[in-house]
Amino acid sequence: MSMQDARPEPIEKARKANALLNAMSVDIEDWFQVGAFETVIDRADWDGLEHRVERNSNAVLDLFEEVGIKATFFTLGWVAERYPKLMQRIVEAGHEVASHGYDHARVFTMTAEQFRDDLKHSRKILEDTCGRAVTGYRAPSFSIDERTPWAHEILAEQGYLYSSSVAPIRHDHYGWAGSPRFAWKPVAGSDLIELPVTTVKVGNRVLASGGGGFFRLLPYVLYDRAIRKMHKDDGRGAIFYFHPWEIDPQQPRVGNAPLKSKLRHYTNLGIMRSKLVRVGRDFRWGRVDELASLEAELAQ
């Protein structure tokens, strides 16, 4: 399959419709690859565990077809090399494949050279399996922060057009509270833009409202109000994310994980799909590269 630039066209349609375009994204990783379990599940054991990522990702693709959503799939190279047919189905359905690194190592655990090698290795796997140019990146666990001043420079050097790797909040698991809340250009003289995951400002506080565990754990009405408030107050599109394992109540349980991690990971798995269908119908969604093209005009 020849390499293609799969740049989308619906941007002008969104403008003409006078509607804010939001970006739907999926971080493709299996249940045992999440940051919450990294201290209790060894990477060397991954191939011996039950793999559910292909099944769950196909279920997500079916959901998107049902609701009529085109999205971006930030995919681990580890997953792509084992499930190339999944990568092909994603692009054939009109979605974007972007990089999530190779094996979910957080950026701040790597040196600059290790990060560069991780980008090259994972990108080659993704492009070879999906047959499309990969121009977007999301750091595992939003792990680009003040500890990695070199990360954006390397992304720009490697030709990435956008990153969605920063959570501009304070959190015990991740966060860069000093980051801008909306698209910004982290490297002078480069076209690379950073698209932070969505937050809402309530008084002097900045709260996460970009999906994931927050969306799954909290009542739907809170998310709905947060996004509509952000639309009204800031006039910008939202970036939503979730993981395929979040719609899989039958996944194995990790008994020796910390209690907080288990509560975050397993709560409300059974209702996540219905909430996703609802949010898919309540807002206008596109791919992250679509929103990146729009936001490039506004980036600081």
Side-chain angles (χ1 to χ4, degrees):
M1 186 181 296
S2 62
M3 198 71 66
Q4 300 179 37
D5 179 4
R7 204 68 181 193
E9 298 185 358
I11 297 170
E12 287 304 321
K13 293 182 181 178
R15 286 195 177 117
K16 290 176 182 177
N18 194 28
L20 282 172
L21 182 70
N22 305 288
M24 176 65 70
S25 63
V26 185
D27 293 355
I28 296 192
E29 57 203 51
D30 219 326
W31 60 271
F32 49 81
Q33 296 172 313
V34 301
F37 297 153
E38 63 190 2
T39 61
V40 292
I41 298 179
D42 195 300
R43 278 177 169 76
D45 297 330
W46 283 2
D47 273 318
L49 298 173
E50 180 185 356
H51 293 188
R52 300 177 67 85
V53 67
E54 183 179 36
R55 168 195 175 279
N56 291 335
S57 297
N58 277 320
V60 170
L61 287 165
D62 292 342
L63 186 156
F64 286 165
E65 184 176 358
E66 173 187 335
V67 183
I69 289 176
K70 301 302 180 187
T72 293
F73 289 76
F74 292 98
T75 308
L76 294 180
W78 188 97
V79 171
E81 68 184 355
R82 286 161 176 77
Y83 301 103
K85 289 184 179 179
L86 173 62
M87 299 298 98
Q88 292 158 20
R89 184 185 175 192
I90 289 170
V91 297
E92 287 169 1
H95 304 291
E96 178 193 15
V97 169
S99 176
H100 200 35
Y102 178 71
D103 63 353
H104 214 261
R106 302 192 205 199
V107 177
F108 56 72
T109 68
M110 294 185 269
T111 66
E113 191 56 38
Q114 287 171 333
F115 180 56
R116 182 179 287 108
D117 290 344
D118 185 81
L119 287 176
K120 290 179 180 178
H121 182 45
S122 54
R123 186 186 220 170
K124 185 178 189 310
I125 294 169
L126 293 171
E127 292 185 341
D128 286 350
T129 53
C130 79
R132 299 289 190 275
V134 170
T135 61
Y137 174 79
R138 173 170 288 156
S141 300
F142 299 103
S143 54
I144 290 182
D145 57 28
E146 64 273 11
R147 291 170 288 186
T148 58
W150 36 262
H152 282 121
E153 294 178 3
I154 294 174
L155 284 165
E157 164 204 301
Q158 294 297 311
Y160 283 86
L161 298 180
Y162 75 85
S163 162
S164 181
S165 302
V166 172
I169 59 171
R170 298 187 188 280
H171 188 275
D172 63 342
H173 191 56
Y174 53 77
W176 185 357
S179 165
R181 289 180 55 225
F182 297 104
W184 54 292
K185 293 186 176 180
V187 180
S190 169
D191 291 333
L192 175 75
I193 64 170
E194 173 63 44
L195 296 166
V197 67
T198 294
T199 57
V200 63
K201 195 167 184 180
V202 180
N204 293 323
R205 300 182 65 190
V206 176
L207 305 177
S209 54
F214 301 100
F215 178 78
R216 177 165 43 86
L217 294 169
L218 298 175
Y220 180 85
V221 66
L222 294 181
Y223 178 82
D224 182 87
R225 289 176 180 173
I227 295 305
R228 294 187 191 281
K229 174 177 169 56
M230 189 271 293
H231 283 171
K232 180 180 178 182
D233 294 350
D234 302 299
R236 308 293 277 268
I239 297 177
F240 185 93
Y241 76 97
F242 70 101
H243 311 84
W245 56 261
E246 290 188 90
I247 61 169
D248 181 12
Q250 282 75 46
Q251 66 187 270
R253 264 39 179 182
V254 182
N256 61 338
L259 178 60
K260 182 187 288 188
S261 296
K262 289 191 286 188
L263 288 173
R264 287 174 173 172
H265 189 92
Y266 298 119
T267 300
N268 289 342
L269 295 177
I271 66 172
M272 183 63 166
R273 189 187 190 281
S274 62
K275 292 178 77 172
L276 288 170
V277 169
R278 184 174 179 183
V279 80
R281 289 173 173 161
D282 284 352
F283 296 92
R284 182 184 181 89
W285 299 102
R287 298 162 27 153
V288 180
D289 56 353
E290 293 176 348
L291 186 62
S293 294
L294 292 171
E295 289 285 350
E297 303 171 8
L298 303 173
Q300 301 175 19

